[in-house]
Amino acid sequence: EKANIDLIREAEREAELSSDLTYHYYASDLTDPTDLDTTLGYTYSGSAFSVKLPNYWKNYASAQQLPNGIVCYEKASMQANCGGLLFELVMWDGEYDHLPNYTYLGTMTSPEGETFPLIRYGPSDVQFAMENMVLYNYMESDISRIMATIQAINGWTFNPA
């Protein structure tokens, strides 16, 4: 009887996942991402800088503007409440200490001459739903290429480290 209850619960869980079309669309059956368009052609802008993201990120990532930068998530894992954090790219307000999972990329200088360290923060633990592992790891491998595309905008200046 306990085995039957477990089977029923598993079937209910699967029905919940498959009824969420957005989640199912992004997570479904992507086991070989090598046919995705990895061209860095999708520009995402914050208030002081922009980065170029791979074209396939339009469908698989959630990029959000923060007051001092941007944050990118692998969308399906984020929607499944499993984190999904790929990176945050922020202008650090205050004195910067070298912390684990933080990478100093250089400085951003405002049009008024104020200088802020530009920091990339990455997750310190697993941030994906297990069924999205291949996609998440593939997206994570794009991050160094993305960081190389940082461009200052709106009168700001970027001084790489």
Side-chain angles (χ1 to χ4, degrees):
E1 188 174 316
K2 179 167 175 14
N4 287 339
I5 291 172
D6 289 342
L7 286 173
I8 291 168
R9 286 188 181 141
E10 180 62 25
E12 288 171 345
R13 188 181 85 70
E14 286 180 25
E16 285 176 12
L17 290 178
S18 64
S19 69
D20 183 351
L21 296 178
T22 303
Y23 173 80
H24 203 69
Y25 168 77
Y26 290 116
S28 66
D29 305 324
L30 182 66
T31 57
D32 181 11
T34 57
D35 62 343
L36 296 172
D37 181 1
T38 61
T39 305
L40 294 172
Y42 168 36
T43 300
Y44 189 83
S45 299
S47 59
F49 58 86
S50 67
V51 293
K52 289 191 181 284
L53 303 173
N55 286 336
Y56 78 92
W57 281 42
K58 288 179 190 177
N59 294 325
Y60 295 101
S62 173
Q64 302 165 9
Q65 189 169 351
L66 302 171
N68 59 342
I70 61 173
V71 61
C72 288
Y73 294 90
E74 184 266 310
K75 192 181 289 187
S77 291
M78 179 186 77
Q79 291 172 341
N81 293 319
C82 294
L85 177 66
L86 291 161
F87 69 87
E88 286 186 39
L89 186 56
V90 296
M91 295 181 300
W92 199 262
D93 188 13
E95 201 167 308
Y96 170 70
D97 291 322
H98 292 275
L99 301 170
N101 303 312
Y102 286 65
T103 304
Y104 173 78
L105 300 174
T107 58
M108 295 293 300
T109 304
S110 74
E112 298 78 31
E114 291 181 273
T115 301
F116 301 90
L118 185 63
I119 308 300
R120 179 183 66 86
Y121 167 77
S124 59
D125 58 359
V126 174
Q127 287 284 311
F128 54 83
M130 289 310 293
E131 61 269 22
N132 302 328
M133 180 176 68
V134 171
L135 175 62
Y136 181 91
N137 288 333
Y138 195 73
M139 294 176 81
E140 188 177 47
S141 72
D142 289 323
I143 293 173
S144 61
R145 290 189 319 130
I146 293 167
M147 294 303 117
T149 70
I150 297 169
Q151 294 290 313
I153 59 173
N154 300 326
W156 287 75
T157 306
F158 175 54
N159 304 300

